[in-house]
Amino acid sequence: MSKLNGKIAVVTGGGSGIGLATAKRLAAEGATVLVTGRRQAELDRAVAEIGGAAVAVQGDLTKAADLARLHAAIAARGEGLDILVYSSGVADVAPLAEITAAHFDKIFDINVRAMVLTVQTLVPLMREGSAIVLVGSIAGVIGTPGYGVYNASKAAVRSWARTWTTELSGRGIRVNTLSPGPIDTAMMAAATEEVRAGLAAQIPLGRMGRPEEVAAAALFLASDESSYIAGAELCIDGGMTQV
């Protein structure tokens, strides 16, 4: 029996990478999945790949009007919302001396501000016992040179999961953080072989992860199989930060 039959899910950043892999897995387990992102063409391709009852809702979650449109698209279905996976994110390099206000705002607007406003907007639609999965990163607990702003933004994701776990506990809504390590997405494919080999050498399992492996963990946190897990962080990093 599929684990998510009858469930309604939203996956942000669902047009590519971890978001797309997660949307595919949730749909394969029976959920109706609404994927959102900024690029319509990418979303259209994603919906075609996901199949089933997938729906694309184009929008920039840093904009109030687009958030309202996403809310309306879910509300119009009249079925409420069971799963929210916030997978949108961006990373840019800037060591301390080169951090600008624009660099800071770009990363925190997408990784933190938009996440907070998305959860705030959609929580009223979520049914009793729903699940929120925030895609963080092991960057939130390490100090990679040049990624200070990004690292801080992912630490903030982890912090919000703790706060929302207490604030939403009365409705039985579970909030957890999924923190991937180096994952072999299209973004990572652009890295040089030297960089890729260097990353793999830091991982006890000796390789980078696959988007599908992160998606499997997202499914676990979104499903009733994790019904007694709340406020937690699940690291999908091949042991990189665990040993």
Side-chain angles (χ1 to χ4, degrees):
M1 181 177 177
S2 297
K3 298 176 181 177
L4 302 178
N5 279 343
K7 302 289 188 180
I8 309 299
V10 167
V11 179
T12 77
S16 62
I18 290 171
L20 176 56
T22 298
K24 286 181 179 179
R25 187 62 192 272
L26 300 186
E29 291 291 338
T32 297
V33 182
L34 289 81
V35 291
T36 185
R38 289 176 292 174
R39 293 176 285 276
Q40 185 66 53
E42 192 174 74
L43 290 176
D44 291 341
R45 288 193 297 271
V47 166
E49 286 187 41
I50 296 165
V55 177
V57 183
Q58 187 276 334
D60 180 344
L61 298 180
T62 65
K63 298 180 179 178
D66 288 2
L67 272 173
R69 188 152 47 83
L70 176 60
H71 180 283
I74 301 165
R77 303 179 67 89
E79 301 172 280
L81 181 63
D82 302 289
I83 299 163
L84 169 60
V85 180
Y86 191 88
S87 184
S88 303
V90 64
D92 278 333
V93 180
L96 176 60
E98 298 174 16
I99 293 173
T100 63
H103 168 83
F104 186 96
D105 290 347
K106 174 185 176 181
I107 292 177
F108 264 76
D109 275 356
I110 296 173
N111 294 3
V112 183
R113 178 176 171 273
M115 178 192 72
V116 173
L117 296 179
T118 298
V119 172
Q120 182 187 59
T121 298
L122 299 187
V123 154
L125 297 174
M126 300 192 81
R127 295 190 276 209
E128 181 94 8
S130 297
I132 298 173
V133 180
L134 307 176
V135 179
S137 169
I138 63 168
V141 296
I142 59 178
T144 310
Y147 285 89
V149 177
Y150 175 73
N151 293 353
S153 75
K154 290 303 184 179
V157 172
R158 177 71 185 98
S159 178
W160 280 107
R162 291 188 175 102
T163 300
W164 289 334
T165 293
T166 59
E167 290 186 348
L168 301 175
S169 61
R171 293 177 54 195
I173 297 176
R174 297 181 300 107
V175 186
N176 290 292
T177 306
L178 188 63
S179 292
I183 305 298
D184 201 1
T185 60
M187 183 183 299
M188 186 61 72
T192 66
E193 284 302 318
E194 182 180 7
V195 169
R196 291 167 62 86
L199 284 171
Q202 299 176 54
I203 301 169
L205 292 187
R207 64 173 178 84
M208 289 190 287
R210 301 185 300 273
E212 294 76 17
E213 292 175 308
V214 182
L219 169 63
F220 171 67
L221 292 178
S223 74
D224 290 340
E225 291 193 352
S226 61
S227 58
Y228 199 55
I229 299 176
E233 179 178 25
L234 178 55
C235 293
I236 313 299
D237 66 354
M240 187 174 178
T241 60
Q242 307 302 306
V243 299

